[in-house]
């Protein structure tokens, strides 16, 4: 009771948390979107944080919003946030969110690859035979999914399913916007030596009906970034940011048995430092700006 009251007088009330980000409501109706330093791997939030990760991903997202401003409006209002969130939070306009993850895939991996192996299609879109893990697709695909409750995986759906959920005009517009944003971002990333294999957007609607890009965008947490020089279809591609973490967790050194269902152990300091450096490198390569 008392804590809730204090939360209100300080002006922000916690409303939701994902694995690595937190959402607060301001008392004027706006939202505070906060990126933490938490990191997930193999579907677990690890017991170790990565210093500066929240600030790096927020800076990256802000930079992308600017790059994309002529393609789609976004929910960012301000970065003037409470001091404990400085650099890793955005004040955003509150939208009516579409209950859809707007995924675009330029390459085959993850659940897209799983669908393809099982059905020869991804989200009902037929693909040529002979594609392998990491293959570039003939053209980028819009492959929507439904947001699953926390702890479960999103489920790929067809465009017809999506249209049944949000209406065919909204479905067509989300598809158009997501593909346009991906095309712009993929071209920027490629010039900087990063393959943007796939990415997930969330969109919402203003009271006047305008569709707006929300969430964080085009970060390693919402996208698969691959180092372009190491891209080699036919095997799982190394992750730009998390490869040191995955390699250590699955090595004997970690003592962790992924199949056991146990929570992963804390990361050693050198893995933390190298992973932090990868996030900084991704930011610097994409933006051409120095970190700090
Ligand atoms: C909104 N999420 C996902 C993000 C979480 C959950 N601009 C907006 N307006 C209304 N709702 C949302 C947004 C945004 N972005 C986003 N859920 C609601 C989410 C961060 C942490 F726990």
């Amino acid at each position: 009771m008392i804590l809730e009251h204090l939360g209100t007088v300080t002006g922000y009330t916690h409303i939701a948390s994902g694995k690595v980000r937190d959402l607060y409501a301001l008392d004027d109706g706006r939202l505070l979107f906060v990126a933490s330093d938490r990191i997930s791997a193999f579907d677990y939030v690890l017991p170790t944080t990565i210093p500066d990760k929240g600030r790096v991903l927020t800076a990256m997202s802000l930079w992308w919003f600017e790059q994309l401003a002529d393609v789609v409006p976004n929910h960012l209002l301000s970065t003037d946030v409470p001091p404990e969130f400085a650099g890793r939070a955005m004040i955003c306009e509150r939208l009516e969110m579409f209950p859809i993850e707007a995924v675009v895939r330029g390459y085959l991996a993850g659940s897209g690859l799983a669908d393809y192996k099982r059905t020869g299609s991804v989200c009902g879109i037929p693909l040529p035979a002979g594609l392998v893990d990491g293959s570039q697709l003939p053209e980028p695909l819009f492959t929507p999914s439904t947001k699953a409750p926390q702890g479960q995986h999103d489920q790929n759906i067809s465009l017809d399913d999506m249209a049944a959920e949000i209406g065919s005009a909204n479905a067509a517009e989300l598809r158009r916007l997501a593909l346009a944003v991906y095309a712009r971002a993929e071209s920027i990333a490629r010039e900087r030596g990063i393959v943007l294999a796939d990415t997930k957007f969330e969109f919402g609607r203003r009271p006047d009906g305008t569709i707006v890009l929300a969430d964080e965008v085009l970060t390693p947490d919402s996208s698969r970034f691959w180092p372009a020089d190491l891209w080699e279809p036919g095997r799982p591609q190394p992750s730009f940011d998390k490869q040191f973490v995955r390699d250590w967790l699955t090595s004997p050194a970690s003592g962790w048995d992924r199949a056991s269902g146990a929570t992963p152990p804390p990361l050693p300091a050198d893995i933390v430092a190298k992973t932090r450096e990868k996030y900084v490198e991704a930011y610097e390569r994409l933006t051409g700006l120095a970190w700090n």
Side-chain angles (χ1 to χ4, degrees), residues 210-229:
T210 312
I211 295 181
V212 176
L213 182 58
D215 209 274
E216 60 170 43
V217 292
L218 297 157
T219 67
D221 279 3
S222 66
S223 318
R224 282 191 179 83
F225 287 8
W226 296 336
D229 56 339

Side-chain angles (χ1 to χ4, degrees), residues 14-24 31-34 75 90 92-97 147 150 202 204 212-216:
H14 178 249
I15 54 173
S17 284
K19 283 197 184 113
V20 302
R21 59 220 172 118
D22 307 293
L23 200 57
Y24 299 82
L31 297 180
L32 181 69
F33 184 109
V34 180
H75 68 161
M90 308 182 285
C92 301
E93 61 181 304
R94 187 167 212 150
L95 304 167
E96 189 189 327
M97 299 301 289
K147 292 178 201 179
Q150 252 209 60
E202 294 198 31
V212 176
L213 182 58
D215 209 274
E216 60 170 43

Side-chain angles (χ1 to χ4, degrees), residues 202-278:
E202 294 198 31
F203 292 93
R205 194 166 29 191
R206 289 184 182 141
D208 74 357
T210 312
I211 295 181
V212 176
L213 182 58
D215 209 274
E216 60 170 43
V217 292
L218 297 157
T219 67
D221 279 3
S222 66
S223 318
R224 282 191 179 83
F225 287 8
W226 296 336
D229 56 339
L230 301 181
W231 175 61
E232 187 188 301
R235 58 155 169 85
Q237 305 305 303
S239 158
F240 196 96
D241 51 309
K242 284 183 182 166
Q243 203 56 48
F244 292 122
V245 171
R246 292 182 184 156
D247 288 349
W248 183 79
L249 284 174
T250 53
S251 76
S254 78
W256 181 58
D257 175 13
R258 192 179 164 187
S260 74
T263 308
L267 300 172
D270 65 313
I271 301 296
V272 171
K274 288 197 287 184
T275 300
R276 177 193 173 280
E277 198 48 50
K278 293 305 286 183

